[in-house]
Amino acid sequence: MPDGAQAGPDEDRIEAAVRAVLVSMSGDLTAKEAALLAELEALGRTIARAKAEIAQLSVDDITGAHIPSATDELDAIVDHTAQATNEILDACETLEKLEAEVPPAAAEALQGAVTRIYEACSFQDITGQRISKVVSALKAIESRVEAAVANASGRPAPAPAAAAPVAPKTEGQELANGPQLPGGGTSQEEIDRLLASFD
Amino acid sequence: MDKNINVLIVDDYRTMLRIIRNLLKQLDFNNVDEATDGQEALAKLRAGNFGLVISDWNMAPMTGLDLLKEVRADARLKNLPFIMITAESKTENVVAAKQAGVSNYIVKPFNAETLKEKIEKVMVHA
């Protein structure tokens, strides 16, 4: 097992088996058997070292400071972009009120520009959804790290949150994946063709 | 197309509600109400008299797809034009929405021309 990998029940059994073989074997060994035993002994040491390293991870720093700090920073990004977007929208609404006071050609140009700003401001929704996905991933990593360290150190795993009755997911919830990466979703043109194929 | 109808826009991002409201105003739809999830929207639809729903998908506790199903199951609301505007752009999402009876589907980020085109299309069939 590579250094730093997670030790689990299977590795525990391998380590115990290696030690049992080493204890039970004695007397003359062939060169092949000796090499095999040496390999097994090295494997046992690697497992023990990995377990010790995992157990010594500063998991409290990770789960108590690093991940909460990262999620707070991400929440702050969402708040600040929302605030900035609302200020942009305030300015756009002020510009729209001026449309009645300028010549028609200028009013049309003004509205065209404001419309483009509205379209661009929808970034805040998309980035907010993407950041929510990252926060969820960080929380999943946090619980996996806690479980891995508890397993390696022999401590009981953290108790899961109080088990509240969980309603089965609806189809809408099951299919809610958030924004796709570029190239991963379906374009508006493809959606239009897909919808037309039902007619 | 009657632009005096009441339009309900549904999205859990307040800035997106504001953007859609302003784009609708540019299209001369001035009777616009808002909801921030499916449950609130359903209560408003049942209590009011709306001619068009424009809804996001990814909201809690009730998603846009679940709202759509409730609307189509309601005898009074079942024929209400319903446009989904969402970042959910997988084919399976579009198919599920169509099977649930969506009138049209717009993927975010979208432009004003697409919104206008889809509204005109669904209102012709309303």
Side-chain angles (χ1 to χ4, degrees), chain B residues 32-44:
Chain B
V32 178
D33 198 358
E34 301 174 353
T36 55
D37 80 276
Q39 278 186 351
E40 184 188 359
L42 193 58
K44 286 194 172 188

Side-chain angles (χ1 to χ4, degrees), chain A residues 90 119 124-125 170-171 186, chain B residues 15 18 66 69 89 108 112:
Chain A
D90 286 344
E119 292 168 352
Q124 199 267 328
D125 178 12
T170 64
E171 185 183 17
T186 311
Chain B
T15 47
R18 193 171 170 188
D66 299 319
K69 289 179 176 181
S89 59
K108 292 176 182 173

Side-chain angles (χ1 to χ4, degrees), chain A residues 82 85-86 89-90 93 96 111 114-115 118-119 121-122 124-126 128-129 132 170-173 175-180 185-188 191-192 194-195 198-199, chain B residues 11 13 15-16 18-19 22-23 26 57-58 61 63 65-66 69 87-96 98-99 104-114 118:
Chain A
T85 305
N86 277 310
L89 295 177
D90 286 344
E93 288 165 6
E96 282 190 307
Q111 188 175 67
V114 167
T115 301
Y118 286 150
E119 292 168 352
C121 281
S122 66
Q124 199 267 328
D125 178 12
I126 305 290
Q129 291 190 50
S132 293
T170 64
E171 185 183 17
Q173 291 165 338
L175 292 175
N177 300 302
Q180 301 302 301
T186 311
S187 70
Q188 186 66 52
I191 288 169
D192 291 347
L194 181 58
L195 291 177
F198 283 86
D199 296 336
Chain B
D11 202 302
Y13 274 78
T15 47
M16 186 51 67
R18 193 171 170 188
I19 290 167
N22 287 350
L23 290 173
Q26 289 184 348
W57 181 309
N58 204 337
T63 68
L65 183 70
D66 299 319
K69 289 179 176 181
E88 301 293 344
S89 59
K90 286 188 170 178
T91 301
E92 61 187 4
N93 292 81
V94 184
V95 170
K98 185 62 184 175
Q99 288 173 339
N104 220 309
Y105 198 105
I106 299 173
V107 66
K108 292 176 182 173
F110 63 97
N111 60 43
E113 190 56 36
T114 300
K118 303 308 179 195

